[in-house]
Amino acid sequence: NVILDYMLVFGIWIFPDLGIYGAGIATSIANLFVAIILTYFYLKKSIRDKYHIFSNLKFCLNRTINLLKVGIPSGSQFVLEVGSFTIFTYLVQKLGTIELFTNNASIQIYRFAFLPVAGLGVGIQSLVGRYIGSKEINYSYRSFYSGMKVIIPFMIFMGLIFILFPDQLISIFNPGQDPQIFELAGNVFLIAAF
């Protein structure tokens, strides 16, 4: 996504200079690529056989209701998160191409930096849910606090990296060494650190 953003927003190499439209096209292409890869692995015979993917397709109302009870709050949180990023990106693109590029590059760095924490959070949620389901509440608390002992220091460390090294981080996506991008990124990373 970042490489396509750079090429389509600024018209690098054989690609046209599309500005904000280039960012949208780049994100759409990246998401389509991810969907194709996930579909391939989902439909792969060894995966289908191992997890019996198409063996039981009967509709069960009770299961559906239970899934909705869990899924609607989680899905709502996801919709709000994606919606807020979309609105924010829409507002940033009105500021200009440089601002949009800095925003998109910064978001990619955030994702890379916080993906381990997100993965650990999913693991903690699974353990807590499992222990609550088996009525082992003490283990659910232990799982949560053990995860926080890793997550909090990691987040503090990443915040310090964002504060101390914003130029080095954004230079990955700023080969032309544009000073305006460095200035904007410094402010963006300072906000992200907190």
Side-chain angles (χ1 to χ4, degrees):
N1 188 23
V2 173
I3 294 168
L4 284 175
D5 269 341
Y6 180 68
M7 291 180 167
L8 291 174
V9 169
F10 294 112
I12 305 299
W13 195 40
I14 62 170
F15 298 98
D17 179 355
L18 298 175
I20 183 64
Y21 300 108
I25 292 169
T27 300
S28 297
I29 291 170
N31 287 337
L32 179 63
F33 184 68
V34 169
I36 290 169
I37 289 172
L38 291 176
T39 302
Y40 167 76
F41 282 107
Y42 182 75
L43 297 176
K44 196 174 176 185
K45 183 170 176 22
S46 61
I47 300 293
R48 283 194 330 256
D49 293 344
K50 182 177 181 179
Y51 296 104
H52 312 288
I53 290 175
F54 296 116
S55 63
N56 188 6
L57 295 177
K58 289 188 237 173
F59 179 76
C60 177
L61 183 61
N62 288 336
R63 282 187 186 167
T64 304
I65 290 170
N66 287 335
L67 285 171
L68 289 174
K69 284 180 183 176
V70 173
I72 287 176
S74 177
S76 299
Q77 181 268 331
F78 182 74
V79 166
L80 287 172
E81 182 180 331
V82 170
S84 66
F85 265 105
T86 302
I87 291 168
F88 183 74
T89 301
Y90 173 76
L91 295 173
V92 168
Q93 67 90 19
K94 291 190 167 294
L95 298 174
T97 305
I98 296 289
E99 289 81 0
L100 178 65
F101 174 77
T102 304
N103 176 62
N104 287 349
S106 301
I107 287 172
Q108 296 306 318
I109 292 168
Y110 302 154
R111 286 181 181 167
F112 179 77
F114 297 120
L115 202 55
V117 172
L120 189 57
V122 169
I124 292 168
Q125 287 174 342
S126 300
L127 287 173
V128 168
R130 175 182 168 213
Y131 288 130
I132 288 174
S134 64
K135 310 258 188 278
E136 298 177 277
I137 303 302
N138 287 339
Y139 285 117
S140 68
Y141 283 115
R142 284 175 56 185
S143 298
F144 173 77
Y145 289 118
S146 295
M148 291 302 105
K149 288 177 185 176
V150 175
I151 289 174
I152 291 172
F154 182 80
M155 296 295 284
I156 291 169
F157 173 75
M158 290 312 301
L160 290 172
I161 294 292
F162 285 167
I163 291 168
L164 298 173
F165 304 107
D167 291 349
Q168 290 79 1
L169 290 171
I170 202 66
S171 67
I172 298 166
F173 303 105
N174 187 16
Q177 303 296 304
D178 186 326
Q180 190 179 0
I181 291 175
F182 283 122
E183 181 183 345
L184 288 170
N187 294 329
V188 170
F189 285 126
L190 187 61
I191 293 167
F194 294 100

